[in-house]
Structures are given as C-alpha cells and as structure tokens.
Amino acid sequence: MAVDKNTRSIESGIETDFSGKLSYGSYLQLDRLLSAQVPVSRPEHHDELLFIIQHQTTELWFKLVLHELAAVRRLLQADDLRSALKGIARIKHIQHILTEQWSVLATLTPAEYAEFRGDLGPASGFQSFQYRAVEFLLGNKNAGMLKVFEGNPAAHRMLAGLLEQSSIYDEFLALLHRRGYAVPERLLARDFRQAHVFEPELVQTFKHIYEHAQENWEIYEACEELVDLEDNFQLWRFRHLKTVERIIGLKPGTGGSSGAGFLRKALDLTFFPELFAVRTDIGRPGAGGGSAPATGRRSGT
C-alpha cells in the first residue's frame, strides 16, 4: 500500500476530545474575538474588514503596552532598574510591530476607502482612550483630552487617574535623585497633571552620565532605552501620518480634526526632551547650562 508522504498522521498522544476541557479556542475566547468584526457599510465593502482588524489589533497591542508601562513605573518606584529595562525592551518590540502594521493598511487605496468612509460617521482613532493612556504614562499629559471620553465613564476614570499619577519619566528622574544625581527638587514635587517641561539643569546631569558612561553604565543604558522608546513612538506617529496622507490626502479626519495636518503637529511633541537636548552638548566643554555640579552628582553624595 502506497504511503502518502504529503500527509502527516496525528500522533496517538495528541488530545482530540475537548468535552469539558480547556481548549485553544476556549482559552483565547475565539468565539467572541472572531465575532467582534462587524462592518457597518451596506452593502458590506470588501476592504472594511481590513480597516477593522487593523485598528482592533492595534488596540490589543496598546493594551499590552499599557500593562508593561504600568509595571515599568512600579519597578522604577522600587529602584529595580534592570527589571524596568526588561519591560521597556518588550515594549520596543511591540512598537516595531505597531509601526509595521501601517504597511498593511497602506494597501487600502483612496478609492477603496472612499466607498465606506462615510459609513464611519464621527468615529476616529482620535477617540482611542488606550492611545491617550499610553501618552499619559509616557508623560504627554493633556487634561483637555478627557472631554472626548465623557461619554465613556470607564475610559474617563482611567485617564483621569493616570492624569494624576507620575509618568515613567517622572519616576526615572526620582530614581536618579535617590541615587545621588543632580535632579532639581521642584521636579520631584511638581504637578503631575501637567506635561513635563524642558528643564535646562537636567541637561548637565545627563551630559555627565553620557561623557562618563563606564562609571554610570546602568543609568546610561536606561537613558538610551528611553531614547529608543521615544524614537519608536515618533516612527509610529510618522508612519501614521504618511499612511493617512496616502489614503485620504489632506481631507479632514472623520472625528473632526484637520487630518494629516493635526497628525504632523504631534511630531513636535517629546516625552524626554533633555535626553535629546544633551546630544548637542556632549563633547562641548562647559556646555549644558544649569546649576548642577560638574560631576552630575548632588553635592554631599
């Protein structure tokens, strides 16, 4: 009898009866997950499923990013910098996936999107509360954004809570202070409801860290990880902008924004301004500004 070499037999030990047992599908609740794609276009447009899945998967990744950022914040508070950096490393991998996802949506042509865009009404990615939560945890606080979520009490509560809390950059600066680095006291007791504002005195502290990396290796590495995090976020913003331009050009957004123009303004926002400003001063004698001691450490430590 001929053996079909293109068929793999099921091994005897493989489970096939899942009556009353946890299966792959039930563990992942695939019935709920795969029924959550509900196109609104009538007749249903072929490409709307792509549009829905693109945004749903983005929100799932945002959920994991928020999970990791919350852990990073707790670890920084506990002075466990190495574990915090592990969490940031995972977030960076997620960011790469989020950025690459735009290339899938970019296969949607302007004509294809125009056929169902009107069915979306005022729904817009601007209304993503998880995206705002990520920005809040990274330090881009904006109390005005809460108004968008007044109709969603759970999302509003979440963002209102994060608005009051320190960001991961606030906690990183607090960790530096505890370890004896020159961080202005006013930054440790600032109003966390406000976005972090550029602090010239910090530049001198970071300049010392970068110019004496071997003696400050763990902190130096943390600085570079934060720079990676912001770089990745900006790349995601840029790909978002270019994808929008590719599909709708300069049309206004469905949620009422100016569209590409609004997204372009976001490229000027920064989470960790001193970590970028210090690059201008590294290697320049006497550069860096501020009153921090030349050692980058607080006097007496």
Side-chain angles (χ1 to χ4, degrees), residues 9-37:
S9 61
I10 298 177
E11 295 176 354
S12 59
I14 291 178
E15 290 277 359
T16 56
D17 181 6
F18 291 96
S19 303
K21 299 176 185 177
L22 183 68
S23 69
Y24 176 82
S26 59
Y27 174 64
L28 296 178
Q29 299 192 50
L30 290 183
D31 287 346
R32 294 176 61 193
L33 183 65
L34 298 180
S35 63
Q37 296 75 47

PDB file of all heavy atoms in Angstrom, residues 9-37:
ATOM      1  N   SER A   9       0.414  12.168   9.900  1.00  0.00           N
ATOM      2  CA  SER A   9      -0.529  11.464  10.767  1.00  0.00           C
ATOM      3  C   SER A   9      -0.584  12.140  12.135  1.00  0.00           C
ATOM      4  O   SER A   9       0.378  12.768  12.587  1.00  0.00           O
ATOM      5  CB  SER A   9      -0.109  10.001  10.930  1.00  0.00           C
ATOM      6  OG  SER A   9       1.183   9.922  11.536  1.00  0.00           O
ATOM      7  N   ILE A  10      -1.749  12.026  12.787  1.00  0.00           N
ATOM      8  CA  ILE A  10      -1.916  12.589  14.129  1.00  0.00           C
ATOM      9  C   ILE A  10      -1.292  11.631  15.136  1.00  0.00           C
ATOM     10  O   ILE A  10      -1.632  10.445  15.172  1.00  0.00           O
ATOM     11  CB  ILE A  10      -3.402  12.815  14.440  1.00  0.00           C
ATOM     12  CG1 ILE A  10      -4.001  13.813  13.454  1.00  0.00           C
ATOM     13  CG2 ILE A  10      -3.580  13.314  15.873  1.00  0.00           C
ATOM     14  CD1 ILE A  10      -5.487  14.049  13.642  1.00  0.00           C
ATOM     15  N   GLU A  11      -0.388  12.130  15.955  1.00  0.00           N
ATOM     16  CA  GLU A  11       0.265  11.284  16.956  1.00  0.00           C
ATOM     17  C   GLU A  11      -0.748  10.813  17.988  1.00  0.00           C
ATOM     18  O   GLU A  11      -1.714  11.517  18.304  1.00  0.00           O
ATOM     19  CB  GLU A  11       1.391  12.063  17.638  1.00  0.00           C
ATOM     20  CG  GLU A  11       2.517  12.428  16.677  1.00  0.00           C
ATOM     21  CD  GLU A  11       3.580  13.286  17.353  1.00  0.00           C
ATOM     22  OE1 GLU A  11       3.374  13.681  18.516  1.00  0.00           O
ATOM     23  OE2 GLU A  11       4.605  13.567  16.697  1.00  0.00           O
ATOM     24  N   SER A  12      -0.530   9.632  18.495  1.00  0.00           N
ATOM     25  CA  SER A  12      -1.503   8.996  19.400  1.00  0.00           C
ATOM     26  C   SER A  12      -1.721   9.799  20.682  1.00  0.00           C
ATOM     27  O   SER A  12      -2.784   9.730  21.296  1.00  0.00           O
ATOM     28  CB  SER A  12      -1.032   7.582  19.746  1.00  0.00           C
ATOM     29  OG  SER A  12       0.247   7.626  20.379  1.00  0.00           O
ATOM     30  N   GLY A  13      -0.707  10.558  21.101  1.00  0.00           N
ATOM     31  CA  GLY A  13      -0.836  11.293  22.366  1.00  0.00           C
ATOM     32  C   GLY A  13      -1.525  12.635  22.240  1.00  0.00           C
ATOM     33  O   GLY A  13      -1.780  13.305  23.254  1.00  0.00           O
ATOM     34  N   ILE A  14      -1.861  13.061  21.029  1.00  0.00           N
ATOM     35  CA  ILE A  14      -2.468  14.377  20.842  1.00  0.00           C
ATOM     36  C   ILE A  14      -3.928  14.355  21.273  1.00  0.00           C
ATOM     37  O   ILE A  14      -4.692  13.463  20.903  1.00  0.00           O
ATOM     38  CB  ILE A  14      -2.351  14.820  19.367  1.00  0.00           C
ATOM     39  CG1 ILE A  14      -0.884  15.118  19.029  1.00  0.00           C
ATOM     40  CG2 ILE A  14      -3.216  16.052  19.092  1.00  0.00           C
ATOM     41  CD1 ILE A  14      -0.650  15.515  17.588  1.00  0.00           C
ATOM     42  N   GLU A  15      -4.327  15.348  22.065  1.00  0.00           N
ATOM     43  CA  GLU A  15      -5.710  15.462  22.539  1.00  0.00           C
ATOM     44  C   GLU A  15      -6.637  15.781  21.366  1.00  0.00           C
ATOM     45  O   GLU A  15      -6.351  16.669  20.552  1.00  0.00           O
ATOM     46  CB  GLU A  15      -5.827  16.583  23.576  1.00  0.00           C
ATOM     47  CG  GLU A  15      -5.154  16.277  24.910  1.00  0.00           C
ATOM     48  CD  GLU A  15      -6.046  15.449  25.823  1.00  0.00           C
ATOM     49  OE1 GLU A  15      -7.198  15.141  25.419  1.00  0.00           O
ATOM     50  OE2 GLU A  15      -5.588  15.096  26.922  1.00  0.00           O
ATOM     51  N   THR A  16      -7.753  15.038  21.289  1.00  0.00           N
ATOM     52  CA  THR A  16      -8.755  15.317  20.253  1.00  0.00           C
ATOM     53  C   THR A  16     -10.147  15.504  20.852  1.00  0.00           C
ATOM     54  O   THR A  16     -11.044  16.016  20.179  1.00  0.00           O
ATOM     55  CB  THR A  16      -8.803  14.167  19.228  1.00  0.00           C
ATOM     56  OG1 THR A  16      -9.065  12.926  19.913  1.00  0.00           O
ATOM     57  CG2 THR A  16      -7.481  14.062  18.468  1.00  0.00           C
ATOM     58  N   ASP A  17     -10.334  15.112  22.097  1.00  0.00           N
ATOM     59  CA  ASP A  17     -11.635  15.244  22.749  1.00  0.00           C
ATOM     60  C   ASP A  17     -11.553  16.353  23.795  1.00  0.00           C
ATOM     61  O   ASP A  17     -10.854  16.224  24.808  1.00  0.00           O
ATOM     62  CB  ASP A  17     -12.021  13.914  23.420  1.00  0.00           C
ATOM     63  CG  ASP A  17     -13.383  13.991  24.104  1.00  0.00           C
ATOM     64  OD1 ASP A  17     -14.060  15.039  23.953  1.00  0.00           O
ATOM     65  OD2 ASP A  17     -13.759  13.043  24.801  1.00  0.00           O
ATOM     66  N   PHE A  18     -12.260  17.459  23.547  1.00  0.00           N
ATOM     67  CA  PHE A  18     -12.198  18.601  24.467  1.00  0.00           C
ATOM     68  C   PHE A  18     -13.507  18.832  25.197  1.00  0.00           C
ATOM     69  O   PHE A  18     -13.788  19.948  25.636  1.00  0.00           O
ATOM     70  CB  PHE A  18     -11.780  19.860  23.695  1.00  0.00           C
ATOM     71  CG  PHE A  18     -10.352  19.800  23.220  1.00  0.00           C
ATOM     72  CD1 PHE A  18     -10.055  19.384  21.928  1.00  0.00           C
ATOM     73  CD2 PHE A  18      -9.306  20.111  24.067  1.00  0.00           C
ATOM     74  CE1 PHE A  18      -8.749  19.300  21.483  1.00  0.00           C
ATOM     75  CE2 PHE A  18      -7.994  20.035  23.637  1.00  0.00           C
ATOM     76  CZ  PHE A  18      -7.707  19.630  22.343  1.00  0.00           C
ATOM     77  N   SER A  19     -14.280  17.784  25.349  1.00  0.00           N
ATOM     78  CA  SER A  19     -15.528  17.871  26.105  1.00  0.00           C
ATOM     79  C   SER A  19     -15.193  18.194  27.566  1.00  0.00           C
ATOM     80  O   SER A  19     -14.548  17.413  28.255  1.00  0.00           O
ATOM     81  CB  SER A  19     -16.290  16.548  26.038  1.00  0.00           C
ATOM     82  OG  SER A  19     -16.535  16.190  24.691  1.00  0.00           O
ATOM     83  N   GLY A  20     -15.596  19.372  28.019  1.00  0.00           N
ATOM     84  CA  GLY A  20     -15.341  19.763  29.401  1.00  0.00           C
ATOM     85  C   GLY A  20     -13.900  20.135  29.683  1.00  0.00           C
ATOM     86  O   GLY A  20     -13.520  20.258  30.854  1.00  0.00           O
ATOM     87  N   LYS A  21     -13.082  20.288  28.656  1.00  0.00           N
ATOM     88  CA  LYS A  21     -11.672  20.641  28.855  1.00  0.00           C
ATOM     89  C   LYS A  21     -11.369  22.004  28.236  1.00  0.00           C
ATOM     90  O   LYS A  21     -12.047  22.448  27.313  1.00  0.00           O
ATOM     91  CB  LYS A  21     -10.771  19.581  28.206  1.00  0.00           C
ATOM     92  CG  LYS A  21     -10.919  18.181  28.762  1.00  0.00           C
ATOM     93  CD  LYS A  21     -10.042  17.208  27.980  1.00  0.00           C
ATOM     94  CE  LYS A  21     -10.253  15.774  28.423  1.00  0.00           C
ATOM     95  NZ  LYS A  21      -9.447  14.827  27.601  1.00  0.00           N
ATOM     96  N   LEU A  22     -10.327  22.623  28.758  1.00  0.00           N
ATOM     97  CA  LEU A  22      -9.892  23.895  28.205  1.00  0.00           C
ATOM     98  C   LEU A  22      -9.172  23.654  26.888  1.00  0.00           C
ATOM     99  O   LEU A  22      -8.213  22.890  26.812  1.00  0.00           O
ATOM    100  CB  LEU A  22      -8.937  24.600  29.185  1.00  0.00           C
ATOM    101  CG  LEU A  22      -8.449  25.988  28.774  1.00  0.00           C
ATOM    102  CD1 LEU A  22      -9.607  26.990  28.786  1.00  0.00           C
ATOM    103  CD2 LEU A  22      -7.328  26.465  29.702  1.00  0.00           C
ATOM    104  N   SER A  23      -9.643  24.292  25.838  1.00  0.00           N
ATOM    105  CA  SER A  23      -9.015  24.157  24.528  1.00  0.00           C
ATOM    106  C   SER A  23      -8.373  25.484  24.128  1.00  0.00           C
ATOM    107  O   SER A  23      -8.558  26.515  24.784  1.00  0.00           O
ATOM    108  CB  SER A  23     -10.056  23.769  23.472  1.00  0.00           C
ATOM    109  OG  SER A  23     -10.954  24.846  23.247  1.00  0.00           O
ATOM    110  N   TYR A  24      -7.649  25.456  23.032  1.00  0.00           N
ATOM    111  CA  TYR A  24      -7.035  26.667  22.486  1.00  0.00           C
ATOM    112  C   TYR A  24      -8.090  27.737  22.231  1.00  0.00           C
ATOM    113  O   TYR A  24      -7.940  28.896  22.633  1.00  0.00           O
ATOM    114  CB  TYR A  24      -6.317  26.304  21.179  1.00  0.00           C
ATOM    115  CG  TYR A  24      -5.712  27.464  20.425  1.00  0.00           C
ATOM    116  CD1 TYR A  24      -4.465  27.979  20.766  1.00  0.00           C
ATOM    117  CD2 TYR A  24      -6.377  28.031  19.337  1.00  0.00           C
ATOM    118  CE1 TYR A  24      -3.907  29.031  20.056  1.00  0.00           C
ATOM    119  CE2 TYR A  24      -5.831  29.076  18.617  1.00  0.00           C
ATOM    120  CZ  TYR A  24      -4.592  29.583  18.983  1.00  0.00           C
ATOM    121  OH  TYR A  24      -4.038  30.620  18.284  1.00  0.00           O
ATOM    122  N   GLY A  25      -9.165  27.351  21.582  1.00  0.00           N
ATOM    123  CA  GLY A  25     -10.210  28.305  21.246  1.00  0.00           C
ATOM    124  C   GLY A  25     -10.922  28.870  22.452  1.00  0.00           C
ATOM    125  O   GLY A  25     -11.218  30.072  22.511  1.00  0.00           O
ATOM    126  N   SER A  26     -11.213  27.993  23.439  1.00  0.00           N
ATOM    127  CA  SER A  26     -11.923  28.485  24.618  1.00  0.00           C
ATOM    128  C   SER A  26     -11.014  29.351  25.499  1.00  0.00           C
ATOM    129  O   SER A  26     -11.464  30.332  26.089  1.00  0.00           O
ATOM    130  CB  SER A  26     -12.493  27.324  25.432  1.00  0.00           C
ATOM    131  OG  SER A  26     -11.461  26.433  25.847  1.00  0.00           O
ATOM    132  N   TYR A  27      -9.735  28.994  25.577  1.00  0.00           N
ATOM    133  CA  TYR A  27      -8.787  29.799  26.366  1.00  0.00           C
ATOM    134  C   TYR A  27      -8.679  31.219  25.811  1.00  0.00           C
ATOM    135  O   TYR A  27      -8.675  32.205  26.544  1.00  0.00           O
ATOM    136  CB  TYR A  27      -7.411  29.133  26.370  1.00  0.00           C
ATOM    137  CG  TYR A  27      -6.330  29.960  27.045  1.00  0.00           C
ATOM    138  CD1 TYR A  27      -6.400  30.257  28.404  1.00  0.00           C
ATOM    139  CD2 TYR A  27      -5.252  30.444  26.319  1.00  0.00           C
ATOM    140  CE1 TYR A  27      -5.420  31.012  29.023  1.00  0.00           C
ATOM    141  CE2 TYR A  27      -4.260  31.207  26.930  1.00  0.00           C
ATOM    142  CZ  TYR A  27      -4.343  31.487  28.285  1.00  0.00           C
ATOM    143  OH  TYR A  27      -3.378  32.241  28.891  1.00  0.00           O
ATOM    144  N   LEU A  28      -8.619  31.325  24.480  1.00  0.00           N
ATOM    145  CA  LEU A  28      -8.490  32.633  23.832  1.00  0.00           C
ATOM    146  C   LEU A  28      -9.838  33.283  23.545  1.00  0.00           C
ATOM    147  O   LEU A  28      -9.869  34.410  23.014  1.00  0.00           O
ATOM    148  CB  LEU A  28      -7.714  32.490  22.517  1.00  0.00           C
ATOM    149  CG  LEU A  28      -6.262  32.026  22.647  1.00  0.00           C
ATOM    150  CD1 LEU A  28      -5.627  31.886  21.268  1.00  0.00           C
ATOM    151  CD2 LEU A  28      -5.445  33.021  23.493  1.00  0.00           C
ATOM    152  N   GLN A  29     -10.932  32.603  23.900  1.00  0.00           N
ATOM    153  CA  GLN A  29     -12.282  33.108  23.655  1.00  0.00           C
ATOM    154  C   GLN A  29     -12.438  33.544  22.187  1.00  0.00           C
ATOM    155  O   GLN A  29     -12.891  34.646  21.879  1.00  0.00           O
ATOM    156  CB  GLN A  29     -12.608  34.269  24.605  1.00  0.00           C
ATOM    157  CG  GLN A  29     -12.558  33.856  26.062  1.00  0.00           C
ATOM    158  CD  GLN A  29     -13.149  34.905  26.991  1.00  0.00           C
ATOM    159  OE1 GLN A  29     -14.267  35.393  26.756  1.00  0.00           O
ATOM    160  NE2 GLN A  29     -12.421  35.261  28.034  1.00  0.00           N
ATOM    161  N   LEU A  30     -12.038  32.630  21.310  1.00  0.00           N
ATOM    162  CA  LEU A  30     -12.059  32.947  19.885  1.00  0.00           C
ATOM    163  C   LEU A  30     -13.462  33.196  19.346  1.00  0.00           C
ATOM    164  O   LEU A  30     -13.641  33.957  18.386  1.00  0.00           O
ATOM    165  CB  LEU A  30     -11.381  31.828  19.087  1.00  0.00           C
ATOM    166  CG  LEU A  30      -9.862  31.714  19.264  1.00  0.00           C
ATOM    167  CD1 LEU A  30      -9.306  30.615  18.366  1.00  0.00           C
ATOM    168  CD2 LEU A  30      -9.174  33.045  18.964  1.00  0.00           C
ATOM    169  N   ASP A  31     -14.475  32.560  19.963  1.00  0.00           N
ATOM    170  CA  ASP A  31     -15.844  32.829  19.516  1.00  0.00           C
ATOM    171  C   ASP A  31     -16.154  34.313  19.643  1.00  0.00           C
ATOM    172  O   ASP A  31     -16.737  34.922  18.740  1.00  0.00           O
ATOM    173  CB  ASP A  31     -16.855  32.006  20.331  1.00  0.00           C
ATOM    174  CG  ASP A  31     -16.827  30.529  19.964  1.00  0.00           C
ATOM    175  OD1 ASP A  31     -16.238  30.204  18.918  1.00  0.00           O
ATOM    176  OD2 ASP A  31     -17.389  29.719  20.722  1.00  0.00           O
ATOM    177  N   ARG A  32     -15.775  34.918  20.765  1.00  0.00           N
ATOM    178  CA  ARG A  32     -16.012  36.348  20.989  1.00  0.00           C
ATOM    179  C   ARG A  32     -15.075  37.189  20.131  1.00  0.00           C
ATOM    180  O   ARG A  32     -15.489  38.181  19.514  1.00  0.00           O
ATOM    181  CB  ARG A  32     -15.795  36.704  22.466  1.00  0.00           C
ATOM    182  CG  ARG A  32     -16.799  36.075  23.415  1.00  0.00           C
ATOM    183  CD  ARG A  32     -16.453  36.405  24.851  1.00  0.00           C
ATOM    184  NE  ARG A  32     -16.489  37.848  25.098  1.00  0.00           N
ATOM    185  CZ  ARG A  32     -15.995  38.423  26.191  1.00  0.00           C
ATOM    186  NH1 ARG A  32     -15.399  37.675  27.120  1.00  0.00           N
ATOM    187  NH2 ARG A  32     -16.074  39.720  26.355  1.00  0.00           N
ATOM    188  N   LEU A  33     -13.816  36.800  20.100  1.00  0.00           N
ATOM    189  CA  LEU A  33     -12.816  37.597  19.394  1.00  0.00           C
ATOM    190  C   LEU A  33     -13.110  37.676  17.895  1.00  0.00           C
ATOM    191  O   LEU A  33     -13.070  38.759  17.294  1.00  0.00           O
ATOM    192  CB  LEU A  33     -11.425  36.994  19.620  1.00  0.00           C
ATOM    193  CG  LEU A  33     -10.241  37.744  19.014  1.00  0.00           C
ATOM    194  CD1 LEU A  33     -10.084  39.110  19.659  1.00  0.00           C
ATOM    195  CD2 LEU A  33      -8.955  36.930  19.179  1.00  0.00           C
ATOM    196  N   LEU A  34     -13.422  36.538  17.288  1.00  0.00           N
ATOM    197  CA  LEU A  34     -13.605  36.497  15.835  1.00  0.00           C
ATOM    198  C   LEU A  34     -14.985  36.953  15.387  1.00  0.00           C
ATOM    199  O   LEU A  34     -15.225  37.104  14.185  1.00  0.00           O
ATOM    200  CB  LEU A  34     -13.319  35.088  15.308  1.00  0.00           C
ATOM    201  CG  LEU A  34     -11.882  34.600  15.552  1.00  0.00           C
ATOM    202  CD1 LEU A  34     -11.690  33.198  15.002  1.00  0.00           C
ATOM    203  CD2 LEU A  34     -10.861  35.560  14.934  1.00  0.00           C
ATOM    204  N   SER A  35     -15.874  37.192  16.354  1.00  0.00           N
ATOM    205  CA  SER A  35     -17.193  37.729  16.005  1.00  0.00           C
ATOM    206  C   SER A  35     -17.258  39.235  16.278  1.00  0.00           C
ATOM    207  O   SER A  35     -18.325  39.851  16.121  1.00  0.00           O
ATOM    208  CB  SER A  35     -18.294  37.006  16.789  1.00  0.00           C
ATOM    209  OG  SER A  35     -18.134  37.220  18.186  1.00  0.00           O
ATOM    210  N   ALA A  36     -16.135  39.822  16.668  1.00  0.00           N
ATOM    211  CA  ALA A  36     -16.109  41.248  17.022  1.00  0.00           C
ATOM    212  C   ALA A  36     -15.860  42.152  15.820  1.00  0.00           C
ATOM    213  O   ALA A  36     -15.802  43.373  15.966  1.00  0.00           O
ATOM    214  CB  ALA A  36     -15.043  41.508  18.093  1.00  0.00           C
ATOM    215  N   GLN A  37     -15.713  41.586  14.629  1.00  0.00           N
ATOM    216  CA  GLN A  37     -15.506  42.380  13.417  1.00  0.00           C
ATOM    217  C   GLN A  37     -16.870  42.537  12.735  1.00  0.00           C
ATOM    218  O   GLN A  37     -17.346  41.616  12.067  1.00  0.00           O
ATOM    219  CB  GLN A  37     -14.504  41.713  12.468  1.00  0.00           C
ATOM    220  CG  GLN A  37     -13.094  41.596  13.033  1.00  0.00           C
ATOM    221  CD  GLN A  37     -12.964  40.512  14.080  1.00  0.00           C
ATOM    222  OE1 GLN A  37     -13.428  39.389  13.887  1.00  0.00           O
ATOM    223  NE2 GLN A  37     -12.339  40.846  15.196  1.00  0.00           N
TER     224      GLN A  37
END
